[in-house]
Amino acid sequence: MNYRHGFHAGNFADVLKHVILTRILTHLNAKDTPYRVVDTHAGAGRYDLGSEEALRTHEWKDGVARIDRSLLSPAVEELLKPWRNALAGARALYGADAYPGSPWLCRHAMRADDRLIAAELHEHTHKKLAAVLGRDSRCKALAIDGWNVLRANVPPKERRGLALIDPPFEEKDEFATLEAEFIAAHRKWPNGIYALWYPVKDRVAVANLTSAILAAGIGRLLRLEIDVDRPEAAGGLSATGLLIVNPPWKLAEDAAILLPALTERLAQGPSPRYLCEPIRPDG
């Protein structure tokens, strides 16, 4: 699978990933001590849903546009508020077609002493990322392989924070790489929060990733998935997931409220489903 993000910005996978990201950042902000975010595959940082790439696929129409359509229940909207506020901020600055990626969302949420390391290897995309982050001294946009950035930046000097690991799945062995690099990072920073994004194209690969992490003795996992039952799933993405390691307190409760509502709103077929499953090594 080749996940070129400009074609997919704002789709249902982004909605899940970015809503959960903002919930994690909200929980990190609940404590006064500073934190660091390491975004291993940061992308451009901000996208134009009116661009040629986005208009070629129109995936955002079945993603963020559906959430824009009308408000959900008050309980869901309370949890969506940080993400909706970030969307509104990006649109106020850049126009109605702006869609913020994970680096922009992190920068929007961070406080004066928090820090972001965002890696993007592709030269053209890195230039866009650097422009998005600008001269903000809290943020660094690095034109370096994301796995090298992960190795070099955990544990962070702040000792608390998040590693967002969001590879493009351009290589056939990406799940094996994700497994190995995450486990190695966790050995160095066992108390950090990790958010591992994955496409659900091969459920055996997803199960093997989870099993390997548990076999390494890593506990406190939260698996979140949405399957929108996309009719043309054979040629595209119908399901996506996040594996959260060391989830913040109450994140599972947040997800249990959010995922049913998001799945219903984002469904493209008659049999959508979601998964909100805390996992521990002892089962």
Side-chain angles (χ1 to χ4, degrees), residues 200-216:
V200 183
K201 302 280 283 187
D202 179 352
R203 291 203 172 274
V204 173
V206 175
N208 288 343
L209 172 65
T210 305
S211 296
I213 290 172
L214 292 173

Side-chain angles (χ1 to χ4, degrees), residues 146-203:
W147 302 119
N148 288 335
V149 167
L150 181 64
R151 295 177 200 131
N153 286 277
V154 299
K157 67 178 183 179
E158 293 84 359
R159 311 306 295 185
R160 65 185 294 258
L162 165 69
L164 175 61
I165 306 176
D166 179 16
F169 287 88
E170 294 174 336
E171 307 296 334
K172 291 182 179 180
D173 61 350
E174 200 86 75
F175 270 99
T177 302
L178 174 60
E179 171 192 320
E181 294 290 350
F182 161 68
I183 291 174
H186 187 273
R187 290 194 186 105
K188 295 169 62 178
W189 189 32
N191 296 324
I193 302 169
Y194 296 83
L196 284 57
W197 178 85
Y198 55 87
V200 183
K201 302 280 283 187
D202 179 352
R203 291 203 172 274

Side-chain angles (χ1 to χ4, degrees), residues 28-103:
L28 283 169
N29 284 338
K31 293 184 178 180
D32 292 336
T33 52
Y35 60 83
R36 183 174 300 247
V37 179
V38 180
D39 192 343
T40 62
H41 299 79
R46 176 172 52 84
Y47 301 91
D48 178 4
L49 300 184
S51 69
E52 180 182 353
E53 290 179 331
L55 292 176
R56 192 179 302 179
T57 61
H58 294 281
E59 288 191 18
W60 57 272
K61 290 185 177 180
D62 286 318
V64 63
R66 291 194 179 198
I67 308 300
D68 280 338
R69 190 170 62 200
S70 61
L71 296 178
L72 295 160
S73 73
V76 174
E77 287 298 327
E78 183 63 27
L79 296 174
L80 286 178
K81 187 181 296 184
W83 180 65
R84 285 204 188 270
N85 287 345
L87 279 174
R91 290 165 175 170
L93 286 171
Y94 307 111
D97 289 333
Y99 184 81
S102 53

